[in-house]
Amino acid sequence: MDWVERTAQLRQWTRSGTRAPHKPLLFLYALSRFQRDADDELLYSAVERDLQGLLAEYGPGNRSTPAYPFHHLVSDGVWEVRTERGPGSPGTGVRELRASGAAGRLTPELRAALRREPSLLGRMARVLLDLNFPPSLHSELCEAVGLGLEEAETGPLSAARRRRDRRMREVVLTAYEYRCAFCGYDGRIGAVPVGLEAAHVRWWAFGGPDDVENGLCLCSLHHKLFDKGVLGLGEGRGEDPGEGLGGNLGDGRGDSHRILVSRNFVGRSAAAREHVIVLAGRPVIGPQPGVRAVAAAHRSWHTSQVFHGSPRPAAAV
């Protein structure tokens, strides 16, 4: 049995690129608990708050319940649930899971395989991360679930899956003339840019292409906040049929995207206001003339699947 392949083929509800990270998040959490105690069981009532927090932070903006993956992960052959009455899950009802003393853990076969081959855990975790989340969140997510992995284990897959285009970073940074599309940061050490990254708007894990129309040059801070759903892209005011043809999108031609800042973001310090809150409603700094800006389809995907809550009104100047 190829456990890595089984991990890559988790059955998840999907429609038009909709994110449903419920099972991957529970699976990562279960792997971390196995790493700490191979015989530990996860009592639903005891871990519900942890799992709800993970879904709220790393899932899409809509409300969801950890009861769903707790029950349905059983069908993938990696997870088992038992209650005070014996083996078997009582279903997806939160009250039933709590009242029945439902507890889950990795299947005996998987636990045995992980004991025989300790490196298997890291390979499975890497698949879950790579196929469901952007690289900017991998280390943070491991820390959030309590999973201890070597840095090499959270790198990209070496298997013959769809590979990232290594040229995308240079193409996107060049298109945006080596400055953050949100704040204009353009730092360098000598001739080498520092703190600038190529962000996928539609995540690579969800079919986002490695091209300029799906990319933004962002500083490290704004890339992280963009992938966490704190920041997003909105339509410009008075967009015309030529929208997306590049140039400085804040030059008043009517084709600009605007920066969204989530109302869920809270920051009282001067730094939080200066680096995040004041961005609300600002025009995005677009790519150089002749380069297409972010495609509407990718922008819409990010808004529905990553951006959290509703946007703040434009910041007062």
Side-chain angles (χ1 to χ4, degrees):
M1 182 180 299
D2 188 335
W3 291 106
V4 173
E5 193 64 30
R6 178 169 291 191
T7 299
Q9 295 175 358
L10 290 183
R11 291 188 287 274
Q12 300 180 64
W13 183 88
T14 181
R15 183 181 63 193
S16 302
T18 300
R19 286 206 303 138
H22 308 68
K23 285 183 177 181
L25 285 170
L26 173 58
F27 202 176
L28 281 169
Y29 187 84
L31 288 172
S32 76
R33 292 291 290 262
F34 177 89
Q35 193 175 54
R36 283 180 279 172
D37 183 352
D39 297 314
D40 193 18
E41 279 193 327
L42 279 64
L43 185 67
Y44 180 80
S45 59
V47 302
E48 181 180 12
R49 180 175 293 183
D50 283 353
L51 297 176
Q52 188 67 64
L54 290 171
L55 283 171
E57 187 164 359
Y58 297 100
N62 56 300
R63 292 177 62 85
S64 53
T65 169
Y68 173 86
F70 205 91
H71 169 75
H72 285 292
L73 189 59
V74 171
S75 65
D76 293 281
V78 298
W79 176 253
E80 64 177 9
V81 175
R82 62 174 56 245
T83 67
E84 295 168 349
R85 298 185 296 272
S89 171
T92 58
V94 172
R95 291 182 180 178
E96 290 79 4
L97 286 166
R98 293 172 182 164
S100 64
R105 63 177 179 175
L106 303 177
T107 61
E109 297 82 5
L110 177 52
R111 297 200 308 272
L114 290 169
R115 288 190 180 98
R116 287 193 306 269
E117 190 180 355
S119 65
L120 176 61
L121 188 148
R123 298 202 306 276
M124 293 173 68
R126 186 178 63 184
V127 168
L128 290 168
L129 292 167
D130 195 77
L131 297 184
N132 295 282
F133 305 97
S136 67
L137 299 183
H138 289 184
S139 295
E140 176 188 316
L141 189 47
C142 286
E143 184 176 347
V145 300
L147 193 60
L149 296 180
E150 297 295 328
E151 184 175 350
E153 292 179 308
T154 59
L157 289 170
S158 58
R161 305 187 191 281
R162 188 168 70 95
R163 293 178 181 271
R164 299 176 189 271
D165 188 341
R166 295 175 181 269
R167 298 170 299 175
M168 180 180 174
R169 179 179 183 275
E170 186 61 29
V171 169
V172 170
L173 266 59
T174 299
Y176 284 81
E177 300 181 292
Y178 294 88
R179 60 178 174 171
C180 176
F182 286 177
C183 69
Y185 168 83
D186 60 355
R188 295 172 180 262
I189 293 180
V192 180
V194 291
L196 288 171
E197 301 166 356
H200 282 74
V201 178
R202 183 187 182 107
W203 293 356
W204 184 88
F206 287 85
D210 289 324
D211 60 36
V212 171
E213 290 186 58
N214 188 42
L216 281 173
C217 176
L218 296 177
C219 67
S220 300
L221 172 63
H222 291 139
H223 185 182
K224 187 64 165 288
L225 296 179
F226 188 66
D227 283 347
K228 290 293 289 286
V230 172
L231 300 177
L233 289 176
E235 292 184 3
R237 300 190 181 101
E239 286 187 338
D240 58 31
E243 185 270 321
L245 290 177
N248 186 327
L249 295 185
D251 64 5
R253 294 178 304 154
D255 61 356
S256 63
H257 293 155
R258 297 277 166 172
I259 302 170
L260 304 180
V261 178
S262 172
R263 287 182 182 269
N264 294 348
F265 176 80
V266 176
R268 297 182 176 86
S269 66
R273 176 171 177 77
E274 292 168 7
H275 297 301
V276 183
I277 295 174
V278 298
L279 296 178
R282 276 190 187 177
V284 173
I285 300 171
Q288 57 182 282
V291 179
R292 298 196 66 85
V294 175
H298 302 321
R299 181 189 68 203
S300 296
W301 182 90
H302 186 277
T303 301
S304 66
Q305 298 302 311
V306 180
F307 187 73
H308 275 249
S310 57
R312 288 171 173 263
V317 179

